[in-house]
Amino acid sequence: MKNIVGVRFRKTGKVYFFDPGHLQINNKDFVIVETAQGQEYGEVIIDKREIPEEKVTTPLKKVIRIATKKDELQFLDNRKKEKEAFEICINKIKEHKLDMKLIEVEYVFDRSKILFFFSAEGRIDFRELVKDLAAIFRTRIELRQIGIRDEVKKIGGNGVCGRELCCCSFLNSFETVSIKMAKEQNVALNPSKISGNCGRLMCCLKYEQEVYEEKLKKLPKIGAVVETPEGIGEVNGIETLQEKIKVKITDGEDVLYRKFAIGDIKIIKNVETEDKLETEEEKELKKLEELSKKEEEM
């Protein structure tokens, strides 16, 4: 078992584990920790506890100290300097006529480096920009190109559900979301309804996908022939989470529609899923899916 505390450096950032040593650290404390970037100021989100060693994927770096008032003032001063650096960089981007959008500027706590996050359609030759910024700030400069999902995460906002965006509140990393998930969850394939603020497929489609996949293994496909307590019929609809199916039963000239639990029917003949021609909406969604994959590879 390993002693850890979980620290986050930005409101929407990932939580990292650190070795608290003998320090008495509580949740919501601010601490100074050692990172690969140098010293950083962060908030304790997970208080001191033991976790299995296999959950620690990299060697733990140490918490140097609980943050002092002086540390807090330096942190706040860094935030002020970030705003100034943002304006300077915007002007330099215009001066060099670069087709890029500056999203955010971050100072490393000890001011040994400044990170400039930007988005762009393609690759940008920003070598001259870096030289100018290094001459102005006299410290290490790093420019990082990010995708649209990361951009929205940094900007913030609310989703169609009315709540704060998942990526801004609790998601530590983005996972691949596909059209297949929307289809299996019987969600209307309307790009405006299943796209997030970033214009990509909504992350929440991923949350229940494992449950849907497990339940769909037990259920017949639409069009399958099944035996029910009321006779043999054809599957007309599926309620995946309830594990119920809607069956069309033909009795002479009469056509009946009945719902049955999966335990009450027997599959006589299942069907293979046919590859149907893509609609315009599906083609649009496919483009969003491909864009998300490209951004993950950046």
Side-chain angles (χ1 to χ4, degrees):
M1 301 291 282
K2 288 271 190 182
N3 265 328
I4 63 97
V5 289
V7 178
R8 187 161 60 193
F9 304 111
R10 296 274 166 162
K11 182 180 177 244
T12 60
K14 186 177 179 180
V15 177
Y16 296 90
F17 291 157
F18 289 88
D19 178 1
H22 298 294
L23 294 172
Q24 294 301 314
I25 301 173
N26 301 310
N27 200 23
K28 301 299 181 183
D29 281 347
F30 287 91
V31 292
I32 303 299
V33 298
E34 188 65 48
T35 74
Q37 305 285 358
Q39 291 187 7
E40 283 289 5
Y41 178 98
E43 182 181 5
V44 176
I45 300 299
I46 301 172
D47 56 10
K48 192 173 181 179
R49 65 187 61 180
E50 287 189 339
I51 63 170
E53 291 194 22
E54 58 267 23
K55 287 194 174 182
V56 181
T57 54
T58 55
L60 288 177
K61 292 186 179 292
K62 288 187 175 292
V63 176
I64 299 171
R65 63 179 180 274
I66 295 175
T68 63
K69 187 64 178 177
K70 183 180 177 182
D71 292 326
E72 182 187 357
L73 291 173
Q74 180 165 325
F75 173 77
L76 294 174
D77 190 47
N78 285 351
R79 298 291 81 82
K80 181 181 175 182
K81 288 180 181 295
E82 286 170 357
K83 292 178 182 178
E84 295 169 357
F86 189 96
E87 293 302 321
I88 291 170
C89 188
I90 286 286
N91 291 331
K92 286 295 177 184
I93 288 171
K94 290 178 181 176
E95 187 180 310
H96 287 282
K97 297 179 181 178
L98 296 173
D99 189 14
M100 57 192 283
K101 178 183 176 184
L102 186 63
I103 306 300
E104 189 177 53
V105 177
E106 288 184 12
Y107 262 81
V108 173
F109 177 73
D110 60 10
R111 299 173 185 168
S112 60
K113 181 165 65 174
I114 312 175
L115 298 99
F116 295 83
F117 296 90
F118 72 94
S119 63
E121 289 296 325
R123 293 191 177 277
I124 302 291
D125 184 355
F126 47 68
R127 287 173 293 183
E128 293 304 315
L129 174 62
V130 170
K131 287 179 185 177
D132 282 359
L133 294 174
I136 294 168
F137 297 107
R138 299 187 178 279
T139 190
R140 286 176 59 201
I141 301 295
E142 186 174 322
L143 269 73
R144 290 186 185 175
Q145 186 170 355
I146 61 176
I148 186 66
R149 293 205 288 178
D150 287 294
E151 179 181 341
V152 170
K153 179 175 181 175
K154 288 183 176 293
I155 294 170
N158 286 33
V160 291
C161 58
R163 299 176 64 114
E164 185 180 16
L165 294 171
C166 298
C167 59
C168 299
S169 52
F170 66 88
L171 277 186
N172 289 331
S173 57
F174 293 113
E175 294 190 55
T176 301
V177 184
S178 66
I179 305 171
K180 178 174 176 280
M181 293 177 186
K183 287 181 177 179
E184 291 183 346
Q185 294 175 34
N186 291 321
V187 178
L189 298 180
N190 183 329
S192 65
K193 291 185 177 179
I194 60 173
S195 299
N197 293 24
C198 58
R200 304 293 182 261
L201 295 173
M202 291 193 296
C203 294
C204 52
L205 287 170
K206 180 74 175 177
Y207 301 162
E208 296 177 353
Q209 182 59 19
E210 192 175 324
V211 175
Y212 274 92
E213 287 177 354
E214 191 60 37
K215 288 183 177 290
L216 283 169
K217 290 176 185 176
K218 308 173 189 176
L219 298 169
K221 304 278 195 309
I222 300 274
V225 179
V226 295
E227 183 181 342
T228 78
E230 296 188 30
I232 293 174
E234 181 182 304
V235 176
N236 183 258
I238 298 172
E239 295 179 5
T240 311
L241 295 180
Q242 287 77 27
E243 295 187 7
K244 291 182 178 180
I245 60 171
K246 185 179 180 182
V247 181
K248 175 184 175 183
I249 302 171
T250 303
D251 183 10
E253 294 183 358
D254 296 327
V255 178
L256 305 173
Y257 291 92
R258 295 285 187 269
K259 284 185 183 179
F260 300 94
I262 184 62
D264 295 333
I265 63 105
K266 179 182 178 183
I267 300 172
I268 297 175
K269 182 182 178 183
N270 215 342
V271 294
E272 294 297 326
T273 304
E274 294 182 7
D275 291 329
K276 298 179 181 179
L277 291 174
E278 291 181 339
T279 63
E280 289 304 313
E281 289 180 331
E282 285 180 295
K283 288 177 182 177
E284 189 176 338
L285 288 168
K286 199 166 187 178
K287 287 179 184 177
L288 298 182
E289 185 180 327
E290 289 168 356
L291 282 169
S292 294
K293 288 178 181 177
K294 286 180 182 178
E295 287 168 3
E296 286 169 12
E297 294 168 0
M298 283 173 54

